[in-house]
Amino acid sequence: MNQMLSVLFAAYKKRRSLEEKVLKIQKGDNILRNELIQSFQPFVAKTVSSVCKRYINDSDDEFSIGLIAFNEAINKYCPKKGSSLLAFAEVMIKRRVIDYIRTQSKGPDVFLEGAASEEERGIPEFGDEKSIEEYEQQLESEKRREEIKAYTYRLQEFGITFSELAKASPKHTDARMTAIHIAKLLVQNENLNNLLLTKKRLPVKQLEELVTVSRKTIERNRKYIIAVAIILNGEYLFLNDYVKEGMAE
């Protein structure tokens, strides 16, 4: 895989690598299972803590319940459903921890002081596969919104608004692919990339020496090229997929 794809799909590859590990574990690789559970203990502790509303360490019973739930998530995870392992595991860990807390209390309706009810949290019934899938989609939508918000703020540092970007986006596929290609070359060139990030403007003159298109073409697509370069420079999982689709057309 060439350098461009390494930059473009870093976050995507990380998720896919995790999915591949899970598939190996589901086929019987218990050594890899132990390694994966060990490496994600901080994630489990953080998720359990969010339910308990207090710091959780590895000596707490709730932490052990979380690890068991994470292991169960590994067994039941199916990449074809579209959600990530961590989103699926988060649902299962919260469900199991809440069930455990209920068994330790006197009544079935108890919940932690200061915590929202399960309905308010949006946590589905553990056995309801459709609800779990809907919750995962909700989590993904929230993450997508947060990513777009962060990207919008980043664009503003370069004097570009989202509405301006929409108007400046190339209408034709060939023009869009050319602009993406220029952005890719820019990011791959360390000196030009540093100029972009520090000066917050496109180094048009230097780019002319790298591409076969005219200065006028670069200027016309300036905002779009900058916008794509920002995506390639950052950890934007969903927006990276958008760029990928643009290059595939």
Side-chain angles (χ1 to χ4, degrees), residues 21-208:
K21 288 181 181 179
V22 171
L23 292 177
K24 289 181 180 179
I25 291 171
Q26 291 175 346
K27 291 179 181 179
D29 192 334
N30 289 324
I31 294 178
L32 185 57
R33 178 189 297 273
N34 292 333
E35 291 176 352
L36 191 65
I37 292 175
Q38 179 71 26
S39 65
F40 278 94
Q41 283 190 12
F43 165 78
V44 173
K46 181 179 180 181
T47 304
V48 175
S49 295
S50 71
V51 177
C52 297
K53 295 295 182 180
R54 63 181 174 84
Y55 176 76
I56 294 292
N57 57 50
D58 57 12
S59 63
D60 290 312
D61 290 341
E62 291 87 349
F63 178 73
S64 298
I65 298 298
L67 287 180
I68 293 172
F70 184 74
N71 184 59
E72 188 173 2
I74 292 174
N75 291 336
K76 294 186 175 182
Y77 176 63
C78 180
K80 293 181 180 179
K81 293 185 177 181
S83 62
S84 69
L85 169 68
L86 297 187
F88 182 63
E90 183 180 4
V91 175
M92 298 190 74
I93 291 170
K94 288 182 176 180
R95 178 72 262 175
R96 287 307 194 196
V97 171
I98 289 172
D99 286 347
Y100 170 75
I101 293 173
R102 281 179 166 171
T103 64
Q104 301 302 304
S105 63
K106 294 181 180 180
D109 298 325
V110 69
F111 60 91
L112 300 180
E113 183 179 355
S117 67
E118 290 174 50
E119 183 177 357
E120 291 170 334
R121 289 171 181 269
I123 300 175
E125 289 298 320
F126 180 73
D128 190 341
E129 185 173 340
K130 182 178 180 181
S131 295
I132 290 177
E133 185 175 346
E134 290 175 350
Y135 180 64
E136 291 170 353
Q137 292 174 352
Q138 177 186 333
L139 287 177
E140 184 168 309
S141 295
E142 291 174 358
K143 291 176 182 177
R144 190 186 300 273
R145 285 194 296 269
E146 288 301 315
E147 181 174 296
I148 293 175
K149 184 187 297 184
Y151 180 61
T152 301
Y153 288 140
R154 186 62 171 155
L155 280 175
Q156 290 174 356
E157 295 178 11
F158 291 78
I160 303 173
T161 66
F162 231 109
S163 59
E164 290 174 337
L165 180 59
K167 295 177 182 178
S169 299
K171 301 299 185 293
H172 299 290
T173 300
D174 289 346
R176 185 165 58 253
M177 292 182 66
T178 297
I180 292 174
H181 177 67
I182 294 172
K184 175 202 70 174
L185 292 177
L186 170 61
V187 172
Q188 287 180 341
N189 188 298
E190 185 176 352
N191 291 332
L192 297 190
N193 195 43
N194 286 336
L195 281 175
L196 171 70
L197 298 178
T198 56
K199 302 293 184 181
K200 300 294 188 295
R201 58 182 176 80
L202 195 66
V204 177
K205 183 178 180 180
Q206 294 90 331
L207 274 176
E208 276 189 282

